[in-house]
Amino acid sequence: MRKGLSNTRTEQFFTQSRRTIYNNKYNSKRSATNNNKNKSFYVNAAKASSGKFVVGGNWKCNGSIESIEKLCATLNSGKITADVEIICAPPMVYIDRVQSKLKPPYQVAAQNCWVGKGGAFTGEVSAEMLKDANIPWVILGHSERRSLCGETNEFVGLKTKYALDTGVKVVACIGESLAQREAGNTLKVCFAQLQAIADCVSEKDWDNIIIAYEPVWAIGTGKVATPEQAQDVHAGVRKWMSENVSAVVASKVRIQYGGSVNAGNCDELAQKPDIDGFLVGGASLDGDAFVKICNSAAHSK
Ligand code: PGA
């Protein structure tokens, strides 16, 4: 009974969300048709982002009060010399503490939030709560949530739209598995993930989205994508954005690379024209390494 009840509520929720999104899309598609007339010109014009280099630290489900306070102290005492935006994502229970400890330029992010308005969703945190707690960013669609928690492309799209509408900016993660790469499907997978987001959001919404390209095979494995491999996908993503969203968005949107970024490989990766920042997991728990990675922004083009 209970299961049936909750399914019905969830279905109602999704039907409602889809209807709203469809209506929004219908209106925005009409204006997109006009923009598409110049599409082929813009495809060739897709180029590196004009936005500020942005480095995220995804602390995942790691740390304790003690280790996190130490990490904040190291980050605060490290010298950020580059022009860079920095976003640290501690575990939910520590965000408030971290936010009160970290000094600018550090900002904070949540690692996830619920797909809609809060309510009877045990264990979840709503975008309204993040907004209320002055948490400006949320990471959505991380591959660990896709693979371990069953989040689909469509679900990530809906979450992205809901967070943005609530006033929380989104780091939206995409990326292929090793099997998908080996089958030659890297771009196809990334584009499907992007399409599900683009289906839900308006052109204007992209101002508040950072795309994080994180090949699953490079996450936490120590096996970093070569700068060329990363650049190829980033350029492909930007071209896709130009063709499917708009040239203006493609030229502004920031695309982070994530997957075994560390203090030793960041400078070389940062030089690639379409790499506009990093999303860092393991190395973000080492304050000195993370400061070095943030400062690699000085090498960006
Ligand atoms: P990693 O993780 O840097 O430990 O590979 C990156 C991420 O999952 O965001």
Side-chain angles (χ1 to χ4, degrees), residues 58 60 142-144 214 218-222 258-261 279-283:
N58 179 6
K60 308 193 181 185
H142 190 279
S143 67
E144 283 147 18
E214 301 202 295
I219 294 179
T221 56
S260 298
V261 175
L279 185 55
V280 187

Side-chain angles (χ1 to χ4, degrees), residues 221-268:
T221 56
K223 203 172 153 188
V224 66
T226 64
E228 291 68 33
Q229 280 174 322
Q231 166 60 28
D232 280 355
V233 178
H234 284 226
V237 164
R238 204 177 302 283
K239 185 164 182 280
W240 186 93
M241 292 295 292
S242 180
E243 289 170 346
N244 294 279
V245 181
S246 79
V248 174
V249 171
S251 70
K252 284 198 296 193
V253 73
R254 291 175 292 175
I255 310 171
Q256 292 176 318
Y257 168 76
S260 298
V261 175
N262 60 38
N265 59 28
C266 56
D267 288 350
E268 203 189 345

